[in-house]
Amino acid sequence: MPTFDLYANDPGASHWQVPASGDARFSWEYDDGRDRLLALYQKGKDKQWDGLKRIDWDLEVDPHDPLGTPEEAMTLYGTPYWDRMTDRDKGELRRHFASWQFSQFLHGEQGAMICAARIVESAPDLDAKFYSATQTMDEARHAEIYGRFLHEKIGMVYPINDNLRSLLGDTLRDSRWDMPYLGMQVLIEGLALAAFGMIRDTTNKPLPRQILAYVMQDEARHVAFGRMALRDYYRQLTDAELREREEFVIEGCYLMRDRLRGVEVLENFGIPRAEAEQLSERSEFLQLFRRLLFSRIVPCVRDIGLWGKRLQQAYVDMGVLELGDSSLDLLMAQDEEIAEKLDAERFAAEEKERVAEVQEAIEAGQDAGD
Ligand SMILES: [Fe+2]
Ligand SMILES: [Fe+2]
């Protein structure tokens, strides 16, 4: 079914055109790659997987409770709106929220694919181009999977959130070659990764859990790449240049924290925007969620060397400064482990089923022989 038939709100024109700036760069040195980057490229090739085969699409999803979200975690919980809602309304609200959230993931993955392709074009060295080409493919697979989940299992899609779109636009319009890394790999992917992780670790529904665990396994490589490339580059920048990058990060973080909350959904349920914003502000669950959203970004910006006074102050304001101490390496190792463990569990269950089937066939054969 065409996606345009599934949009909850009018997405406007069918395409969004962002003028490209900056140079496409060729490199004639084919044999001088950095070992760490080439190793990551190799890993990118080795670890490609096909969502068509690896994900069990036969698993059913209840579109009115796709994630098993507990009531208390819903923004409207504890308000008069919630009390007035029938069970049917509550199911509809859950469907809209899941659709909104996964739609932002979907549009974000398309953005990630386009940024990765941009990096193929603009990065000066061939090792970075090679690696980024594998990431472009990773992001295409992710967009394919989220798109399928929304079309087949939720049956509803939301347009891209205005603020996500503006951050994506700023990232793509900038002609400095490090900006797609910083805006996309560090900020947008950092946020997405934290959101994926929270859902992966709390949902009791097997299909979304598979999707998120496997997508996160790839994202660990993407974060590693952004860190390597930026850490090397930012060592060479002047203080003034570093401050510019920090300003961009500060602004992006505030924007994502304050404006990415699914107010569009509440508006669709007849709640005026100002009130919807207030309700989201007050929701205890969302406050926790917002803090956790920074769990991947803060240690990353610190790691790449953007850790000036103003940035630290901004993180103090947001109450997330201490997240800078957490270990990204550990988080990423866990992401890979969780995906591998899930595979092992599923494989063991399938194996058990297969053995039981064989056993049954043998017994049936014996019965027939008797
Ligand atoms: Fe992705
Ligand atoms: Fe990614």
Side-chain angles (χ1 to χ4, degrees):
M1 183 185 282
T3 309
F4 265 74
D5 294 346
L6 300 179
Y7 274 111
N9 297 343
D10 180 12
S14 64
H15 289 85
W16 176 32
Q17 258 134 252
V18 184
S21 54
D23 299 328
R25 294 187 179 83
F26 283 73
S27 164
W28 306 129
E29 177 50 66
Y30 290 93
D31 193 28
D32 186 27
R34 288 159 282 188
D35 290 344
R36 290 176 312 161
L37 261 180
L38 290 176
L40 206 58
Y41 168 57
Q42 184 61 42
K43 200 170 168 192
K45 288 188 293 177
D46 290 340
K47 300 253 168 165
Q48 295 284 326
W49 49 276
D50 186 352
L52 210 65
K53 298 185 188 125
R54 195 180 187 192
I55 289 168
D56 186 359
W57 291 103
D58 289 337
L59 286 168
E60 269 183 47
V61 174
D62 174 1
H64 294 103
D65 188 20
L67 303 170
T69 316
E71 291 208 338
E72 310 81 63
M74 305 291 296
T75 315
L76 288 185
Y77 181 77
T79 68
Y81 288 107
W82 185 262
D83 300 335
R84 282 202 297 273
M85 285 177 122
T86 62
D87 284 347
R88 216 189 131 92
D89 297 334
K90 290 176 186 170
E92 248 335 273
L93 186 67
R94 280 200 165 83
R95 179 171 180 230
H96 276 255
F97 262 118
S99 166
W100 179 83
Q101 180 125 56
F102 278 78
S103 297
Q104 304 318 313
F105 294 167
L106 169 63
H107 304 309
E109 295 290 0
Q110 183 182 176
M113 177 180 73
I114 287 171
C115 285
R118 173 68 57 87
I119 293 169
V120 172
E121 197 177 58
S122 63
D125 300 315
L126 208 64
D127 53 4
K129 290 179 189 294
F130 278 179
Y131 164 76
S132 218
T134 67
Q135 183 171 338
T136 308
M137 184 59 195
D138 290 348
E139 309 296 11
R141 292 184 296 101
H142 299 168
E144 173 202 337
I145 289 165
Y146 285 125
R148 179 165 178 182
F149 181 70
L150 284 162
H151 276 82
E152 269 179 31
K153 306 295 183 181
I154 310 285
M156 179 189 288
V157 180
Y158 262 81
I160 186 167
N161 170 275
D162 287 344
N163 299 288
L164 178 57
R165 181 177 167 131
S166 103
L167 183 58
L168 207 48
D170 287 346
T171 294
L172 277 168
R173 269 185 288 267
D174 204 300
S175 62
R176 293 168 291 187
W177 70 265
D178 63 305
M179 292 315 265
Y181 288 73
L182 187 59
M184 190 68 225
Q185 310 256 22
V186 177
L187 291 186
I188 300 176
E189 292 220 77
L191 275 177
L193 208 52
F196 294 172
M198 279 184 270
I199 302 176
R200 176 196 65 188
D201 298 340
T202 52
T203 185
N204 52 10
K205 308 285 179 185
L207 183 64
R209 199 171 128 73
Q210 279 179 24
I211 291 175
L212 292 162
Y214 295 150
V215 166
M216 288 186 80
Q217 188 180 22
D218 293 340
E219 299 296 347
R221 292 194 296 277
H222 305 174
V223 174
F225 174 59
R227 282 167 77 195
M228 272 181 210
L230 291 180
R231 210 169 13 191
D232 289 351
Y233 182 59
Y234 286 171
R235 270 195 211 115
Q236 312 157 22
L237 292 190
T238 64
D239 274 352
E241 287 167 328
L242 286 176
R243 295 300 83 82
E244 273 170 32
R245 268 80 180 171
E246 287 186 358
E247 286 306 317
F248 179 80
V249 170
I250 292 172
E251 213 177 294
C253 284
Y254 275 119
L255 192 67
M256 293 297 99
R257 184 192 72 156
D258 297 335
R259 302 283 172 73
L260 205 58
R261 300 186 292 206
V263 167
E264 303 92 300
V265 172
L266 297 181
E267 281 188 299
N268 279 346
F269 281 74
I271 301 172
R273 170 157 281 225
E275 197 183 349
E277 275 167 8
Q278 255 175 19
L279 289 173
S280 311
E281 189 66 36
R282 241 181 278 152
S283 157
E284 246 172 66
F285 180 79
L286 265 186
Q287 280 175 11
L288 178 71
F289 189 80
R290 274 162 55 170
R291 238 181 68 79
L292 289 174
L293 271 182
F294 287 90
S295 59
R296 308 279 175 141
I297 293 180
V298 182
C300 191
V301 296
R302 181 178 181 166
D303 185 70
I304 58 180
L306 296 182
W307 201 241
K309 263 210 186 88
R310 267 184 53 78
L311 187 64
Q312 289 192 45
Q313 189 51 49
Y315 285 152
V316 170
D317 285 348
M318 295 184 212
V320 298
L321 184 76
E322 74 281 6
L323 294 173
D325 298 332
S326 57
S327 160
L328 264 186
D329 290 322
L330 191 70
L331 285 168
M332 291 188 317
Q334 278 169 353
D335 291 343
E336 296 195 86
E337 235 169 68
I338 289 174
E340 279 158 17
K341 229 177 110 199
L342 187 61
D343 272 343
E345 280 165 19
R346 292 178 56 204
F347 184 70
E350 275 166 29
E351 181 65 15
K352 222 166 144 190
E353 227 170 84
R354 210 179 54 82
V355 169
E357 269 168 30
V358 170
Q359 191 62 31
E360 253 171 57
I362 292 173
E363 281 166 16
Q366 276 170 352
D367 288 349
D370 289 342

